[in-house]
Amino acid sequence: MTAYTELVRRYQRLHKLSHLQSIASWDQQSFMPPKGNEARAAAMAEMGGLLHELATAPELAGLLQQAEGESLGDFERASVREMKRSWRASNALPQALVEQLSLATSRSGHAWREQRKANDWAGHLPNLKEVVRLTREAAACLSQATGLSKYDALLDQYEPGMRSSEIARVFGDLRQWLPGLIKAVQTQQANETVIQPVGPFPKAAQRELGLAAMKLMGFDFEAGRLDESAHPFCGGVPEDVRMTTRYSEDDALPALMGVIHETGHGRYEQNLPREWLGLPIANARSMGLHESQSLSFEMQLGSHPGFAQQLSPLLMKHLGAQPAWEPENLHKLLTRVKPGFIRVDADEVTYPCHVILRFEIEKALVEGEIECEDIPDLWATKMQELLGIDTVGNYRNGCMQDVHWPEGLIGYFPCYTLGAMYAAQWFATMRRDIAGLDAGIARGELQPVFDWLQAKVWSQGSRWETPELVQRASGEALNPAHFQAHLRARYLG
Amino acid sequence: MTAYTELVRRYQRLHKLSHLQSIASWDQQSFMPPKGNEARAAAMAEMGGLLHELATAPELAGLLQQAEGESLGDFERASVREMKRSWRASNALPQALVEQLSLATSRSGHAWREQRKANDWAGHLPNLKEVVRLTREAAACLSQATGLSKYDALLDQYEPGMRSSEIARVFGDLRQWLPGLIKAVQTQQANETVIQPVGPFPKAAQRELGLAAMKLMGFDFEAGRLDESAHPFCGGVPEDVRMTTRYSEDDALPALMGVIHETGHGRYEQNLPREWLGLPIANARSMGLHESQSLSFEMQLGSHPGFAQQLSPLLMKHLGAQPAWEPENLHKLLTRVKPGFIRVDADEVTYPCHVILRFEIEKALVEGEIECEDIPDLWATKMQELLGIDTVGNYRNGCMQDVHWPEGLIGYFPCYTLGAMYAAQWFATMRRDIAGLDAGIARGELQPVFDWLQAKVWSQGSRWETPELVQRASGEALNPAHFQAHLRARYLG
């Protein structure tokens, strides 16, 4: 047996055991009753420790080194590269820390569900402080292993190769034209008449509508589900994708667009290369690329002026006919630009402001420049500065709105805006490669889009490093000009 | 650290990891989409192998021996006894066999869900043959480890200390008076007028009715759920009990009584001793005792003549008022005796016939006296013989009706009828200990019943071996006369 074969065996074992952890995590966030959490957290911490033990088995270092010396094809060489990336990520953290993190984030994430409802920042603070304390420890370990700064070391877990200096450059670019663009769009839209939908919209009907939209977007229901959770996510495993959403009976569009968003994540997972399954090379490339899929679905397609002709009949069918659902008006509803509290409900023009704010706060938090107690004031200041919105005392719709920090996801937020930029770049490329793309979308001919994404992104797994994938897919490196052009064309065109 | 302390640590670890396996298994049977099964089966087989590895760690034998030599209190000594029982059960099977069994039963159990619907015995047969082949191997290993016969070795896993000779004796006793009793009851009931309920009964309303019944029976919804599956079961973990049921829109009572049945299992689990949790001594004592709880709920309480006064208003509220739901008529509906195809729908008088049939077939199957191909004919013959019913070609409602064999649960069926006998014995004892028990039940005063079960059964976990628990709870050994007296009083009284 070659070292490579033995590595394949070990990583496939890890993949199988992680499957159970993924399903338990989905259940924890969707169906688990409250008294189950203590035992679940303990079980997942034990499993987290065990997975960590397998991912840090002392033999792995030698096996990886041996495999690099074996006569391997290009594919196997890339596969070893991804195993090594996974190995490095696991080996930087001592097992005790991994277990403490799993326990602290399970507890904090679970309590957050009730605390957010109760606007209970004081109750949440000690949990968050513990998560941040442990995350700083983790960042210090990762920093030592990679030579990156603490925040970059966290970021690198989600977007391999991306650095905060690069993000600062790109976000700096956005800061130059985005505030002006938001104002210009608001001025233009102030003169437009938009008919508001009249609710209420029963949950059950919204669920059926969401399922119909998933079908339209090609989700495979034999290999996945849609359920409810406090914070929508796409989890499970590639073979069994578990999407969730949340409903408000007053407003049907956020849940619908949320479902379309998660369907982008879901189809990426469902279409990852099956023949490599269980190996790190079969995983989705990065969180930014993942987000480029959800935003391809939600923004590039879902809010496309022509696509309103596809969504309109679905809305009429499931929620009843009303003037608001007419295609032209629907498109207006889906492209309203209005600074607001909630990131996940934000329009695509103001969304980057939410990300810039979180990036700045979490970077300072990890680098030890601020403490958790400082977050609400910073939040209020930056929301005022970036979007002109007052969030003082409104924790629920302010710094407690996201599940990320309570669950220890720090260094992740920038990926959302990277994803928006990749998505704009994909569609710019498709527009060049596929004749009559926009007219086709209006007629509901989505297959060419899915085929393109399948060929260029989904089927590639982690075969290439991000810059090479972007280059191969679009013929150039990441270029934020496509995002700007997309926003100008859609909102000021 | 004493050997006992180290054993506690190891068994608690096993408990935590099994938690994930339990939740994944619940999901597999309730929510998982079909294409997820291959990966799930592989993941659960991997985990099954890992749990087996931990339960068979070479150090355990020495630790158990050492612990027996340590100065321990009575409780710790009993705890070591249960650890040893668990250890013996795990160590009899080689790890490869455990993994093969997990894979084969996952596949077979999953395919069975569709195959049963399609009455597809030919499709099911190869899967079942594989499960039986591996179960025979397992039985041979267990037999070698315990000195018991092959079937007794399987039975001992579910009902420690019970032997097939003892079951043959008890079932022989039943065979003497049960056929006559069934006939006598049928003759008496032939003269009674019973108003049939008029459906359909929408699923959603039945679900609400089931939840209301669970509440009446004291189920803790903060620590458990009710969902749907092809075959109702009570799974999950003691801290988070997952009950399932199935609904038919034509007939509401089977689902209702099924839910009440599973609630008995659920409350046993929810009330196991928390201070010992994670140790084998904190587990439910046996499958027969488990069934004594579900049948205490479903039969002793649920079909009690006075209890109809509690169920009647719930039925009226959730399914609409109709004459069939009047208490006196409802009690008649719940005590109709009529030989039928389906074990889980059988009345308590004919039920033991279904168990006797399965016991005889599975015993012969394990001992190698028959093959899977022989099952349909044997089933047809015995159903004719015991209940006068023709099942030729009707696999769906015949030998394919239960999930047990497809999932490798062989040696389990006798526990159902042992449970019915224990339950009758509990209520005979309560009737002696609690003044005005039956009048209290009619008034909805169920707390004394729950308190008795809590004190005598639930809180005892596996503190005592079954005969001692029965003796302590009821003041005598298992005595089938209580079951006979119960049936005569209820059906011919």
Side-chain angles (χ1 to χ4, degrees), chain B residues 109-125:
Chain B
H110 180 71
W112 165 82
R113 288 195 258 167
E114 295 304 317
Q115 286 163 341
R116 186 192 171 200
K117 284 183 209 156
N119 200 38
D120 181 11
W121 168 252
H124 180 53
L125 184 59

Side-chain angles (χ1 to χ4, degrees), chain A residues 104-132 365 372-373 375-376 379 395-396 398-408 410:
Chain A
T105 56
S106 257
R107 278 203 182 121
S108 152
H110 181 71
W112 165 85
R113 287 196 258 169
E114 295 304 317
Q115 286 164 341
R116 185 192 172 201
K117 282 183 209 157
N119 200 39
D120 182 12
W121 168 252
H124 180 53
L125 184 59
N127 289 345
L128 184 62
K129 283 178 76 72
E130 179 65 5
V131 170
V132 167
L365 200 56
C372 292
E373 287 84 348
I375 295 176
W379 195 280
Y395 309 108
R396 177 176 24 213
C399 61
M400 284 179 75
Q401 70 183 265
D402 296 303
V403 76
H404 300 60
W405 292 344
E407 296 215 330
I410 300 182

Side-chain angles (χ1 to χ4, degrees), chain A residues 427-462:
Chain A
F427 276 76
T429 311
M430 275 184 239
R431 215 157 261 128
R432 211 179 53 213
D433 292 354
I434 304 169
L437 179 82
D438 295 285
I441 291 172
R443 287 192 303 270
E445 292 160 11
L446 308 179
Q447 201 53 47
V449 174
F450 299 147
D451 289 344
W452 192 97
L453 294 171
Q454 162 81 28
K456 306 290 187 179
V457 182
W458 304 341
S459 67
Q460 301 303 305
S462 289

Side-chain angles (χ1 to χ4, degrees), chain A residues 54-71:
Chain A
L54 294 173
T56 57
E59 314 84 75
L60 279 174
L63 285 167
L64 284 164
Q65 206 177 356
Q66 251 181 281
E68 281 175 332
E70 284 171 354
S71 146

Side-chain angles (χ1 to χ4, degrees), chain A residues 24-325:
Chain A
S25 167
W26 161 82
D27 177 81
Q28 192 176 32
Q29 293 172 75
S30 56
F31 286 118
M32 190 188 71
K35 286 187 191 164
N37 193 60
E38 197 72 19
R40 180 67 55 86
M44 292 184 70
E46 189 72 45
M47 187 65 169
L50 175 75
L51 292 171
H52 184 65
E53 207 177 287
L54 294 173
T56 57
E59 314 84 75
L60 279 174
L63 285 167
L64 284 164
Q65 206 177 356
Q66 251 181 281
E68 281 175 332
E70 284 171 354
S71 146
L72 300 174
D74 284 352
F75 172 78
E76 285 76 16
R77 207 175 308 283
S79 175
V80 172
R81 178 195 71 212
E82 294 306 318
M83 288 170 177
K84 209 164 174 183
R85 187 191 308 284
S86 157
W87 179 83
R88 262 200 315 270
S90 305
N91 281 268
L93 300 186
Q95 176 150 356
L97 181 56
V98 173
E99 284 172 25
Q100 283 169 0
L101 263 169
S102 168
L103 206 57
T105 56
S106 257
R107 278 203 182 121
S108 152
H110 181 71
W112 165 85
R113 287 196 258 169
E114 295 304 317
Q115 286 164 341
R116 185 192 172 201
K117 282 183 209 157
N119 200 39
D120 182 12
W121 168 252
H124 180 53
L125 184 59
N127 289 345
L128 184 62
K129 283 178 76 72
E130 179 65 5
V131 170
V132 167
R133 185 182 73 75
L134 293 166
T135 303
R136 283 173 175 167
E137 265 188 54
C141 295
L142 292 167
S143 167
Q144 204 157 22
T146 55
L148 298 170
S149 76
K150 281 195 202 172
Y151 184 75
D152 281 3
L154 291 179
L155 177 65
D156 196 70
Q157 297 178 291
Y158 308 114
E159 199 63 22
M162 185 53 68
R163 302 290 169 258
S164 56
S165 55
E166 173 74 357
I167 291 174
R169 186 187 66 78
V170 178
F171 286 3
D173 179 85
L174 293 190
R175 269 187 185 272
Q176 287 195 347
W177 51 265
L178 193 55
L181 194 141
I182 293 173
K183 285 214 181 69
V185 175
Q186 282 191 289
T187 307
Q188 177 171 315
Q189 295 191 343
N191 303 318
E192 294 175 7
T193 312
V194 187
I195 306 165
Q196 290 305 316
V198 181
F201 306 105
K203 257 190 187 187
Q206 286 194 58
R207 178 176 152 78
E208 290 305 315
L209 171 64
L211 294 173
M214 287 167 74
K215 203 177 155 201
L216 179 66
M217 308 303 273
F219 186 84
D220 181 357
F221 285 97
E222 299 255 290
R225 303 180 41 91
L226 172 69
D227 295 290
E228 278 183 71
S229 69
H231 184 93
F233 66 94
C234 177
V237 293
E239 305 92 329
D240 179 2
V241 169
R242 302 294 173 103
M243 281 173 44
T244 67
T245 189
R246 61 179 166 206
Y247 302 102
S248 152
E249 303 223 324
D250 300 330
D251 195 356
L253 291 179
L256 173 63
M257 298 315 283
V259 164
I260 291 176
H261 178 97
E262 299 303 332
T263 305
H265 289 306
R267 290 210 66 191
Y268 191 1
E269 291 290 318
Q270 286 186 331
N271 289 284
L272 285 167
R274 280 312 155 90
E275 62 277 27
W276 317 333
L277 211 72
L279 302 181
I281 197 172
N283 294 343
R285 173 66 285 180
S286 73
M287 293 306 119
L289 281 178
H290 232 306
E291 200 63 15
S292 83
Q293 298 312 295
S294 53
L295 293 176
S296 286
F297 275 53
E298 181 191 0
M299 294 304 175
Q300 296 293 330
L301 273 183
S303 304
H304 187 283
F307 194 71
Q309 292 172 40
Q310 298 306 310
L311 284 183
S312 171
L314 293 184
L315 282 154
M316 303 267 196
K317 178 179 171 196
H318 291 284
L319 307 182
Q322 55 173 287
W325 304 148

